Amino acid sequence: MNRAEKAALQLQAVAVLRMLKRTRTYDELSELTALPAGDLNRYVNGHVLPGTDRASEIVEGIGQEALADELRARIELDEEGYVDNSRVVFDQSFLDLVAPVAAESFAFDVPDVVLTAATDGITLGAAMASFFDADLAYAKKSKETAVEEFIESRQRLASGIELTYYLPASSIDAGDTVLIVDDLIRSGETQELLLDIALQADADVTGVFALIAVGNEGLDRARELTEAPVGALEQFE
């Protein structure tokens, strides 16, 4: 890890602690993190940065659990299983914290392109792309007027509805590494289409990540289609 990477990790740890501090006292934060309240005070207020080992522990260990708790508190799941995650996908600062935690927790290789589906996946995709310093590409259910060449992926759903996504062909080059992200994974149909787009582009998939998984079907489906890491920050049965 070079000096810039160490500094980025330390700043990410501070950002996680500041997010947790919004709803906790220093004593409560100390109990959660097993770190002295005095040290936490200095980190949160910017007087000193945590060491790299401690920063890694905060981001990878405490960060994932804490962000999952925060995510669960922000979403609503009705009796029919529909998810309202607007308080998450509209909060770019929260999503900016998710990116480093996801990268550390699921060991995603650095991608050239982050690929997602319009529209709810775009804010998460932007956060992940910014963290990895990668390009962002998003597939849409309609063709853009000025674009001549598309990669097209189509699937007929169990309901009989045909789902099609289009991505401008220039968005991914052959040999690019691609991380597929989305705000929600349920059946895995959208992720399958995105994986197919990456395959058609002759790209290498480095992982599949979702903020929320509803059940196991979608995650299992993605794992059957790629050997890359597949994971979600929070899962609901």
Side-chain angles (χ1 to χ4, degrees), residues 21-138:
K21 181 62 181 66
R22 293 176 193 169
T23 56
R24 294 169 176 84
T25 66
Y26 281 112
D27 286 339
E28 290 170 338
L29 190 56
S30 177
E31 185 175 349
L32 173 66
T33 62
L35 299 177
D39 288 355
L40 292 169
N41 185 300
R42 287 188 285 274
Y43 298 152
V44 169
N45 287 293
H47 300 311
V48 66
L49 293 174
T52 52
D53 288 343
R54 181 170 283 186
S56 180
E57 179 184 344
I58 292 169
V59 172
E60 183 175 357
I62 300 165
Q64 183 179 0
E65 183 178 349
L67 285 176
D69 289 343
E70 180 72 13
L71 179 64
R72 182 176 285 272
R74 287 174 177 229
I75 68 175
E76 295 182 10
L77 189 67
D78 68 18
E79 294 178 355
E80 297 181 1
Y82 290 100
V83 178
D84 177 5
N85 61 2
S86 55
R87 292 175 61 205
V88 177
V89 296
F90 294 161
D91 188 343
Q92 196 66 54
S93 63
F94 177 79
L95 295 177
D96 288 342
L97 292 179
V98 169
V101 171
E104 289 284 336
S105 300
F106 299 104
F108 295 129
D109 290 337
V110 176
D112 297 309
V113 179
V114 173
L115 175 62
T116 188
T119 56
D120 285 351
I122 293 176
T123 50
L124 174 62
M128 300 293 280
S130 176
F131 172 74
F132 284 115
D133 193 23
D135 292 335
L136 172 64
Y138 53 91

Side-chain angles (χ1 to χ4, degrees), residues 149-181:
E149 262 188 87
F150 291 89
I151 302 172
E152 177 181 329
S153 186
R154 180 176 301 167
Q155 181 179 132
R156 187 174 294 277
L157 309 184
S159 62
I161 297 173
E162 193 171 79
L163 179 62
T164 306
Y165 275 103
Y166 304 92
L167 181 75
S170 60
S171 301
I172 303 176
D173 294 327
D176 277 348
T177 53
V178 174
L179 174 64
I180 292 171
V181 306

